[in-house]
Amino acid sequence: MRMPSLAWINLEWRWSTFFYVLIAVEVPFTVAALALYGIADPDLYRTQLWQEGANQGWNSDPIEILYSYANYRPIATPTPWNQSITTYNVIIAVLSMFIMLVKTVMFITATFPPLASAVVHATIAALYAVSIDQQAASDYSDPLHPSKFPWYLTRSCNAPVNPNLHGYCQQAQASFAVAVCICALFTLHTVVAIICCFRTKEQKAALKSADIESPYSTFDDKKWEMEMGHWPKTPGITGGMKTPMTPRTMAFNTLDGTLGSRRPNRDLPLRHHIAMGKDTYSGR
């Protein structure tokens, strides 16, 4: 189904092959994001990494959160160690997988124009940008151990880190790297879609020539009258407006006596026979 086109918006892709290449690159990253974020939910290693940073003196201690609640002075959990960021990552990963499947089918069926692609990919890129910002957020809840970034993003997962947390540390690093790659990929998708939204000089020239050759590109009253002149006229109005004559009209006029000079006797024979008697009806 061909969608209606606007004058300055191009509904056709210039580089359809490039779009398939981006989809092919997007598939492994989306699957990796869905696996990493799904494994990390709800709290596979987040609190353990937080505690390991506290043991090394790199960030705040999760015990302080419990102490603050016990003393009726609750403080907010630092953003990189909060459960909300883990849940948020799972949601956008599932959404990315759904959109990838839908847009692939729509692109194959030619129902995914560049304008829609730009809107969708810009939205997803913004969602992953928020995820990157949250994953790399600071932790200043402990003035004695401030942390501008989570320690696993600025330090190695090797010693002095607990060897039991080596794999979890690498998973946290991979989660952040996947978010950065997907955000960059969707940003590239958006740029390509925006470029394809605008027509090239050749497309503009072809569109202009098509408008010139079209018989209905400039429609005025004279042309309308000329077109109306070729249409068949309505029966019964030739020579001016008058009541159309149909077989049913003629039948009613005949019964009413408008077509004949002799008007039939309106009195019924049965009425004469009953009211006047047999002699009267016979004319005596």
Side-chain angles (χ1 to χ4, degrees):
M1 180 178 179
R2 187 178 180 84
M3 300 179 63
S5 167
L6 297 179
W8 61 278
I9 297 180
N10 184 25
L11 300 181
E12 299 179 357
W13 289 88
R14 302 184 197 174
W15 314 297
S16 57
T17 305
F18 188 64
F19 185 88
Y20 286 116
V21 172
L22 292 178
I23 291 294
V25 176
E26 181 183 345
V27 170
F29 284 107
T30 304
V31 174
L34 189 61
L36 289 171
Y37 297 148
I39 292 173
D41 186 68
D43 187 12
L44 177 63
Y45 53 77
R46 186 183 63 255
T47 303
Q48 297 183 49
L49 296 180
W50 187 9
Q51 184 63 56
E52 179 64 20
N55 296 339
Q56 300 293 340
W58 296 332
N59 51 246
S60 62
D61 196 326
I63 301 298
E64 295 179 0
I65 304 297
L66 299 178
Y67 289 160
S68 65
Y69 278 92
N71 296 326
Y72 300 99
R73 293 181 301 173
I75 60 176
T77 303
T79 302
W81 316 116
N82 201 316
Q83 169 65 30
S84 60
I85 183 60
T86 305
T87 305
Y88 178 83
N89 288 336
V90 174
I91 293 174
I92 63 174
V94 174
L95 181 62
S96 300
M97 177 64 71
F98 174 76
I99 290 179
M100 182 187 66
L101 297 176
V102 172
K103 73 181 180 182
T104 302
V105 175
M106 292 181 64
F107 184 81
I108 294 175
T109 56
T111 56
F112 193 59
L115 181 60
S117 176
V119 174
V120 171
H121 290 111
T123 303
I124 302 299
L127 294 177
Y128 274 98
V130 173
S131 174
I132 294 171
D133 179 72
Q134 298 296 310
Q135 292 186 59
S138 58
D139 177 10
Y140 292 137
S141 59
D142 186 359
L144 299 179
H145 304 92
S147 174
K148 187 175 183 180
F149 300 103
W151 64 267
Y152 56 82
L153 297 181
T154 58
R155 291 176 172 83
S156 174
C157 295
N158 300 322
V161 178
N162 187 348
N164 296 329
L165 300 178
H166 180 78
Y168 292 154
C169 176
Q170 289 184 334
Q171 288 186 32
Q173 292 176 343
S175 299
F176 182 80
V178 166
V180 173
C181 293
I182 294 181
C183 183
L185 182 62
F186 276 66
T187 302
L188 181 60
H189 261 297
T190 305
V191 173
V192 172
I194 292 175
I195 294 175
C196 291
C197 282
F198 297 96
R199 301 182 185 275
T200 61
K201 294 182 179 179
E202 293 78 9
Q203 290 175 334
K204 292 180 180 179
L207 182 64
K208 186 176 181 180
S209 62
D211 291 339
I212 294 176
E213 295 175 359
S214 176
Y216 299 101
S217 58
T218 55
F219 211 81
D220 52 7
D221 295 339
K222 293 184 178 180
K223 185 170 293 186
W224 171 256
E225 294 177 357
M226 294 175 61
E227 293 293 333
M228 287 292 294
H230 297 288
W231 291 4
K233 297 182 179 181
T234 304
I237 61 173
T238 306
M241 293 297 296
K242 59 183 180 181
T243 304
M245 185 65 65
T246 62
R248 179 174 295 183
T249 306
M250 296 177 62
F252 278 110
N253 291 341
T254 302
L255 292 176
D256 194 42
T258 56
L259 292 182
S261 58
R262 182 176 60 85
R263 299 179 63 87
N265 189 359
R266 295 181 179 272
D267 296 330
L268 297 177
L270 183 60
R271 179 179 176 183
H272 285 273
H273 179 73
I274 296 175
M276 299 180 180
K278 187 174 182 180
D279 297 337
T280 305
Y281 180 72
S282 59
R284 296 176 183 176

